[in-house]
Amino acid sequence: MGMGDEIMATGIAKRLHAETGAKVAFGNPKGSLKRTIYPIIYANNPKIIKNGQELRDTKHVVWSDYCKGHRTYIANIETSKKERRYRWNYDFKAEPGEFFYSNFEKKKIAEKRIKEKYIVVEPHSKMGGAKDNKQWPLDRFQKVVDILSEEITVFQPHYGKPKLKNTTPVVTNGLRMLSLFMKESVGFLCNEGGVHHAASTVGAKGVVLFGGFIPPEITGYDFHTNLFTGGEACGSRYSCKHCKAAMEAIEVDEVVEHMRKIINV
């Protein structure tokens, strides 16, 4: 949980601002602002209050209690020794967020503009604990790339290791610029997480691998192809056999087929 959470916050802010015309403050409605630990996500966003001074200076404010420590897609957290897991709030539905790009960001991506059709593949997920449960096997990502790279150029964000064979690294300096690069792509492939939330901000289409940790009904977007195979989403905060099996149930040929439908190869 991290940047993807904050991108979802921008989607909430977009809706609340459209409904009320007010700036949105995240935190305790009694007046306690919960500041983001990823301010880059909110950069240049005129709809979100970013600090106490801005809060004091703003006449029209609408509050959302969606914030660090109170992510409203989580209904509750089981804390017993035998069962440490998130229980999901099925009334929550992620809304596409938005970035407000600087001229520098737009210029840098314009300099990287690619003439031919391409896709973006991000095979990495944060690792450790619950994050292990969101990782499709790297060797399967490699097999997908080996097949599709015969048909289309494949880019991989430069920061992930190991780098997949038959990919070209793209330096994007974070999710904001990566979203602009994905906007010009014909499709993307990634695990559920920050990259698919970034893709939502520009309407990029792609395949998102959910496995069995959290259901796409909560953090997925309807214009993505969301592959969930886990039955009841377990939300385990430890490395989980159920989630591993759910990810392994997603086959290479299935992913290739879905990607081909998106990119029309």
Side-chain angles (χ1 to χ4, degrees), residues 3 6 35-45 50 176:
M3 287 190 178
E6 302 299 350
R35 296 177 63 178
T36 176
I37 60 173
Y38 298 109
I40 190 63
I41 301 299
Y42 296 173
N44 308 314
N45 193 324
K50 305 168 191 65
R176 292 169 61 93

Side-chain angles (χ1 to χ4, degrees), residues 47-64:
K47 303 172 185 178
I48 296 176
I49 292 175
K50 305 168 191 65
N51 54 60
Q53 186 61 53
E54 186 177 1
L55 179 61
R56 290 187 290 272
D57 292 343
T58 303
K59 292 183 179 180
H60 302 293
V61 178
V62 61
W63 284 88
S64 170

